[in-house]
Amino acid sequence: MPPGLDSTRADRWLWAVRLTKTRAEAAEACRGGHVRVNDRTAKPATSVNVGDTVRVRVHGTTRTVVVTHVIDKRVGAPLAVRCYTDHTPPAPAQPPQPVARRARGAGRPTKRERRQLDRFRFHGE
């Protein structure tokens, strides 16, 4: 583990522990109100300390993590995971979607069959 710091910027920490792909993306998430530190909206320069709860919404998912180690340089994924404890609730299970199948060797669908498939796929009929 690299030596820990007392605190660092929120955007640097999010980037260093690989919750975002780039530091610019982390700063943009902060400016957009998608990052909360201890239930307060965080700006990119907000301090992150050990024990803080960070909630970040990136790529359509909300992650809730507790800071266990403060770093400001990007590290490998195995080390990055050890810098926080993930408290993100598991995603709800999606029921499997039915799959439309055609008989093998039946060729391309006719126009009528294609319309039926489109109705089945997009309208749930």
Side-chain angles (χ1 to χ4, degrees):
M1 237 12 210
L5 305 170
D6 292 336
S7 67
T8 190
R9 294 171 54 106
D11 61 341
R12 281 189 95 163
W13 187 81
L14 290 170
W15 167 74
V17 297
R18 298 175 173 261
L19 292 177
T20 59
K21 290 185 180 184
T22 64
R23 185 167 168 203
E25 184 180 331
E28 187 63 34
C30 290
R31 281 192 294 272
H34 300 291
V35 178
R36 296 179 71 80
V37 176
N38 295 329
D39 290 327
R40 280 191 235 138
T41 304
K43 293 181 179 179
T46 301
S47 291
V48 174
N49 302 310
V50 173
D52 287 349
T53 301
V54 178
R55 184 172 295 135
V56 59
R57 181 167 178 78
V58 181
H59 304 297
T61 59
T62 302
R63 306 261 324 255
T64 305
V65 297
V66 175
V67 180
T68 58
H69 192 75
V70 177
I71 58 173
D72 64 349
K73 301 265 191 234
R74 195 162 171 100
V75 294
L79 289 177
V81 173
R82 293 172 38 194
C83 293
Y84 61 86
T85 305
D86 198 351
H87 292 291
T88 305
Q94 298 273 341
Q97 295 290 332
V99 179
R101 301 252 185 229
R102 288 181 50 82
R104 189 174 176 101
R108 292 176 57 178
T110 63
K111 191 170 189 175
R112 179 174 180 240
E113 291 170 335
R114 197 169 59 244
R115 286 185 186 136
Q116 290 172 343
L117 284 170
D118 287 343
R119 256 187 262 120
F120 176 74
R121 264 191 271 165
F122 301 116
H123 302 294
E125 294 179 10

